[in-house]
Amino acid sequence: MKNVVVEKSIEVALLIIEFCEILEKNKKFVIARQLLKSGTSIGANVHEAQNAESKSDFIHKIKIATKELEETKYWLILCDKSKSYPNNIELQNKVKELGLILYKILSTSIKSR
């Protein structure tokens, strides 16, 4: 069975890796490292949530994923608004899509406690 949130988190992580490689080629090392950490952490937490020990553990891991998602959005906003940084609209849109899915999962899970 297809797991949309897992697949989307992998897709976003791969796009993050590609974008961070571009940032590093442009010697934007600090943002590249921060973005790489937060952007790939989303998927790691989504994957951990798939084998949560309890409903509370699942919610906790999804909450961490959403926190990492918000941090990722922040770094992408800085890239977007900075004149000397490259921008990636496709990546920004994919992160927003993943956020919609994660927030829906979170709200549904909290309601069904």
Side-chain angles (χ1 to χ4, degrees), residues 24-73:
E24 288 185 353
K25 282 180 188 168
N26 289 312
K27 300 186 185 324
K28 308 297 186 187
F29 300 112
V30 174
I31 300 270
R33 286 188 195 111
Q34 294 289 346
L35 182 58
L36 186 63
K37 286 179 186 178
S38 66
T40 57
S41 181
I42 301 164
N45 283 288
V46 166
H47 274 74
E48 279 188 51
Q50 303 312 299
N51 293 303
E53 295 173 12
S54 64
K55 183 95 165 190
S56 292
D57 187 38
F58 175 81
I59 291 168
H60 177 70
K61 285 178 178 27
I62 295 297
K63 279 184 178 179
I64 293 171
T66 59
K67 286 172 70 173
E68 295 295 336
L69 179 112
E70 292 302 326
E71 182 180 341
T72 299
K73 284 183 188 176

Side-chain angles (χ1 to χ4, degrees), residues 6-16 90 94 97:
V6 168
E7 288 181 17
K8 288 278 186 195
S9 69
I10 291 170
E11 180 183 4
V12 164
L14 292 172
L15 289 171
I16 289 283
E90 178 194 5
K94 295 289 182 182
E97 278 178 32

